[in-house]
Amino acid sequence: GHFSVALLLPRGSKQNQRSPLRGRMLSRDFTGSYTSARMFAYDFQEALDILPEISAEAGLKYERVCVLGGDFYSNVLLDQPPPGLDCMVLLSPNRFWYGRDLSAAPPDQLRETPVLMFATRRFGYELSFFQEQLPMTEVVLAHAAGNGYEMLYRKPELLERMILFLKGSREFT
């Protein structure tokens, strides 16, 4: 099978020169409160809404959709997953986000969605609470992997694990 990848740079993201990947950094204007941070969920939903049109223009066909979220974005996805996802891969999500325990009452949609979470050993205990609530969640602990998308740079073997997950997740092709 093969995969097509679409990159979403949500609102307020600016280049972070200190990041080893020269990745994006969130503007504090958009993350100062829970209400503001939840707006990022609309970015994910908009991207999924226009995916058929963009795919048709590019000549791509897809059967399933999986999203990858790192650090802050992984919490956005845990809090408000867009409908219609076939799976999620989350890099260094947190159990507590803006004073809310995301594992306490996760959205019903996540109970039937395969979720792969990568975290450093330091957060393994916190993420075990998600496994109790979400039966299709798998947590992979990676020593000294950093946070968010940086994990894939520091530990390239996590990419291999992610691809195995995607291939096994509802028969991705």
Side-chain angles (χ1 to χ4, degrees):
H2 69 280
F3 300 91
S4 298
V5 177
L7 176 63
L8 167 67
L9 292 177
R11 67 187 87 207
S13 297
K14 57 185 179 181
Q15 194 164 21
N16 178 359
Q17 295 298 326
R18 293 184 309 228
S19 168
L21 297 177
R22 299 291 182 253
R24 298 294 203 198
M25 194 168 70
L26 295 171
S27 168
R28 293 289 173 211
D29 297 338
F30 295 105
T31 61
S33 71
Y34 176 68
T35 303
S36 297
R38 289 187 71 187
M39 297 301 289
F40 283 91
Y42 295 112
D43 291 346
F44 284 105
Q45 187 57 57
E46 287 280 326
L48 291 175
D49 289 347
I50 64 170
L51 186 61
E53 179 183 333
I54 291 172
S55 297
E57 289 175 10
L60 299 174
K61 295 180 182 177
Y62 65 92
E63 294 177 16
R64 305 216 185 328
V65 176
C66 184
V67 294
L68 168 68
D71 203 14
F72 174 86
Y73 301 113
S74 63
N75 295 325
V76 169
L77 290 163
L78 280 170
D79 185 54
Q80 282 187 276
L85 290 180
D86 294 291
C87 71
M88 295 194 313
V89 177
L90 306 176
L91 305 168
S92 61
N94 295 307
R95 178 178 169 201
F96 296 99
W97 193 54
Y98 291 97
R100 302 167 59 90
D101 183 350
L102 294 177
S103 70
D108 288 339
Q109 169 189 349
L110 291 181
R111 295 185 200 290
E112 298 176 10
T113 304
V115 178
L116 175 62
M117 296 181 180
F118 289 115
T120 58
R121 295 184 195 283
R122 181 174 144 212
F123 292 101
Y125 175 74
E126 276 192 17
L127 297 185
S128 68
F129 288 89
F130 287 104
Q131 289 178 298
E132 291 174 14
Q133 295 289 327
L134 305 171
M136 299 183 77
T137 295
E138 180 182 349
V139 175
V140 174
L141 302 179
H143 178 67
N147 286 318
Y149 300 107
E150 177 184 31
M151 298 178 87
L152 300 177
Y153 174 77
R154 286 188 174 188
K155 299 286 183 175
E157 63 271 18
L158 297 180
L159 281 170
E160 294 173 27
R161 180 62 194 91
M162 182 172 62
I163 290 170
L164 287 172
F165 170 79
L166 293 173
K167 285 182 176 181
S169 177
R170 295 193 187 173
E171 300 301 314
F172 265 77
T173 59

